[in-house]
Amino acid sequence: MKKFLLFCLGMMMCAALAACGGGSHEEEIKSSVDAYFAGIQAGDYEQALTAAADDLTDNFGLSEISNVANLTDETMGETYNSAANEFVKYFLQNSVKSYTIDSVEENEGQATVQISGSFIDAESALDGMNNVDMGTLFDEYAGEHMDELAQLAESDGEDAVTQAIIDACAPKLFEEMKSAVENAGTLETKMQMTLQENDGTWKITQIDEIA
């Protein structure tokens, strides 16, 4: 009887150890997903990418928001780039309104996460941004400040005039782009994230839209 009890105890310990060794990593997986969205909602896409693999495949389109960062241009001057960076952050912060992790499935170092949420209608936002006419803004400003710009051209040259117009128009340009983002609306949709475990760290490898 004693040997039988010891045998049963040994089996129970083995089972417990096996369970510990192959336990769920759901919290770590959720943390990686949360870190990705936290970066976006903070307006920092580079921060978001720390939760993703280097070869992330984004079939959902969230990576498209990073293209907005291309609005910055060193040749346009400090005022323009300051306004551009502020807008990029604003766009990112408003791209993910809310999300919920619906389920997590894990199998041999790979996980799939089902997510539902409210996301910006990026296509509508980008269309609105593209409709903001920078040329018209510049021409209107130049027409309204012709005498002032003529004096600046005479004293400092044409490059100074161009920079003065850019500096004056940049804030209005990006305010109109913000309006396009505000008017874009949101889409209620679902996505699936695939994550891979590597050296104890879970990284997002793929993002797909669920029809």
Side-chain angles (χ1 to χ4, degrees), residues 142-181:
E144 294 169 359
H145 299 82
M146 189 174 297
D147 293 341
E148 174 188 334
L149 294 172
Q151 294 177 7
L152 183 62
E154 186 175 346
S155 62
D156 296 344
E158 293 296 328
D159 288 346
V161 171
T162 300
Q163 191 61 59
I165 294 173
I166 292 172
D167 290 349
C169 294
K172 185 176 181 180
L173 170 68
F174 288 108
E175 281 302 316
E176 291 193 14
M177 286 190 175
K178 282 185 179 180
S179 294
V181 173

Side-chain angles (χ1 to χ4, degrees), residues 133-148:
D133 192 341
M134 183 187 299
T136 297
L137 287 175
F138 285 10
D139 289 344
E140 288 178 351
Y141 179 83
E144 294 169 359
H145 299 82
M146 189 174 297
D147 293 341
E148 174 188 334

Side-chain angles (χ1 to χ4, degrees), residues 170-195:
K172 185 176 181 180
L173 170 68
F174 288 108
E175 281 302 316
E176 291 193 14
M177 286 190 175
K178 282 185 179 180
S179 294
V181 173
E182 291 172 358
N183 295 328
T186 57
L187 298 174
E188 302 297 323
T189 188
K190 294 181 179 293
M191 68 168 67
Q192 175 177 287
M193 286 188 177
T194 302
L195 294 87

